[in-house]
Amino acid sequence: MSGPKIPLAGVIGHPIAHSKSPRLHGHWLKSLGIAGHYIPMDVAPENLEETLRLLPKIGFRGVNITLPHKQAAMQIADLVTDRAALIGAANTLIFRKDGRIHADNTDGYGFVENIKSGAPTWKPKEGPAAVLGAGGASAAIVSALLEVGVPEVRISNRTRVRAEGLRERFGARVTVYDWVQAGNMIDEAVTVVNSTSLGMEGMPELRVPLDGLSEQAVVTDLVYTPLETRLIREAKSIGCRTVDGLGMLIHQAVPGFERWFGTRPTVDEETRALLLAV
Ligand code: NAP
């Protein structure tokens, strides 16, 4: 006789050792008393499809997908949410009972929930958002900002053509600024986002003039190592509400955990402290 299957989930990347997700999901499983496991898996690109087709057969309910597989996973999936299709990348897969793989992208959700919890008075519809960077994370940010009703999303990126690609994909509410004029797009912005990797440990600082930054603006940085980046520090000194990037990492994990393990986990200070302790 076999008992009920132990629910399994995990994260697939290449490499994967740096991922904080196993610690996060492991904490939620333990604190909620769920007898499941969340496993890091280092899978080379040539083995991705085979792995994704095998995992449901051995008890996996789904997986998170990280670099470099976010685009490939979406191509392999049988069903793709509109959101993931628009962003062009998937970070959360659900293995359905009928055998089909369902792909979603929860980065934008995590981004918005993080700002809502860190700056509850945020009113994104009241003015433009200024987004620095147009890399992989940026598409999810732009999509989420448009979804919450931001009237104009201004983007500036060192490689301008990538920002223009986002304008083509997301339409006329997106405007593009030259990288050397990134400071100008901050004027009157209600929301300011760093989605470049500048400011991260080991990378140069982000040096954008903040003269036009209103103290009413909410400023957030996707970089969370260090937790207080130069952008966050300077915005605080101007009097802005600031939101660090760690919360986005935690919030984006919530929908996947709920789908795989059947309970919605809470995001609290204990969760943050746990990840900071790594
Ligand atoms: P990515 O696809 O590699 O994009 C990197 C971005 O940084 C591009 O816009 C790139 O500009 C810019 N950049 C890199 N070096 C630069 C330099 N020297 N000068 C000017 N711009 C530079 O990376 P990503 O996946 O979008 O991630 C971006 C950052 O967000 C990373 O720090 C990542 O850790 C963080 N992130 C955080 C979360 C979270 O949950 N908090 C989630 C996702 C990502 P070019 O296009 O000109 O190269």
Side-chain angles (χ1 to χ4, degrees):
M1 268 186 49
S2 66
K5 274 196 176 149
I6 292 173
L8 301 175
V11 56
I12 295 181
H14 185 61
I16 200 60
H18 64 283
S19 174
K20 289 180 187 284
S21 297
R23 198 175 172 96
L24 174 61
H25 287 267
H27 163 72
W28 282 335
L29 286 168
K30 196 170 165 210
S31 60
L32 292 166
I34 298 170
H37 296 285
Y38 183 96
I39 299 156
M41 289 168 276
D42 188 334
V43 177
E46 62 271 24
N47 297 326
L48 182 64
E49 177 149 21
E50 194 188 346
T51 305
L52 291 178
R53 297 291 171 198
L54 173 70
L55 290 177
K57 297 177 189 159
I58 57 171
F60 276 77
R61 298 192 174 168
V63 285
N64 284 128
I65 297 290
T66 188
L67 301 177
H69 301 311
K70 287 182 164 194
Q71 281 87 18
M74 203 185 67
Q75 303 300 328
I76 294 165
D78 306 299
L79 301 160
V80 177
T81 60
D82 290 346
R83 188 170 41 196
L86 196 60
I87 294 165
N91 73 339
T92 304
L93 302 183
I94 316 292
F95 299 148
R96 291 163 48 124
K97 289 202 172 98
D98 63 10
R100 288 189 292 176
I101 298 175
H102 186 221
D104 196 5
N105 191 311
T106 64
D107 278 337
Y109 165 85
F111 169 77
V112 167
E113 288 305 303
N114 185 36
I115 302 187
K116 281 186 185 166
S117 68
T121 56
W122 181 48
K123 294 196 173 59
K125 294 180 186 168
E126 290 198 346
V131 178
L132 299 150
S138 186
I141 305 305
V142 172
S143 171
L145 288 169
L146 293 171
E147 213 173 295
V148 296
V150 171
E152 179 193 1
V153 179
R154 302 169 173 173
I155 308 177
S156 183
N157 192 52
R158 177 181 61 174
T159 310
R160 186 183 163 106
V161 68
R162 293 182 89 183
E164 284 167 352
L166 290 175
R167 183 177 55 196
E168 272 166 35
R169 198 181 318 169
F170 290 102
R173 275 158 69 201
V174 173
T175 52
V176 175
Y177 285 63
D178 269 341
W179 185 238
V180 286
Q181 291 172 343
N184 296 351
M185 73 172 181
I186 286 167
D187 285 358
E188 295 160 19
V190 164
T191 314
V192 176
V193 186
N194 175 36
S195 81
T196 73
S197 41
L198 292 174
M200 193 164 77
E201 273 166 20
M203 288 290 290
E205 287 288 6
L206 172 68
R207 294 181 187 277
V208 171
L210 297 179
D211 311 330
L213 182 62
S214 154
E215 62 180 40
Q216 307 300 325
V218 172
V219 178
T220 185
D221 202 326
L222 265 58
V223 171
Y224 54 84
T225 49
L227 210 49
E228 187 172 89
T229 59
R230 179 191 170 107
L231 173 68
I232 295 285
R233 199 166 51 247
E234 289 190 356
K236 267 185 192 166
S237 74
I238 290 167
C240 300
R241 289 300 304 260
T242 60
V243 183
D244 68 56
L246 187 64
M248 175 176 162
L249 180 81
I250 300 172
H251 281 285
Q252 63 78 31
V254 168
F257 186 95
E258 184 176 20
R259 289 293 295 270
W260 305 322
F261 299 115
T263 306
R264 194 170 183 80
T266 49
V267 177
D268 52 19
E269 271 310 312
E270 194 191 345
T271 324
R272 278 177 64 86
L274 177 100
L275 293 186
L276 286 172
V278 179

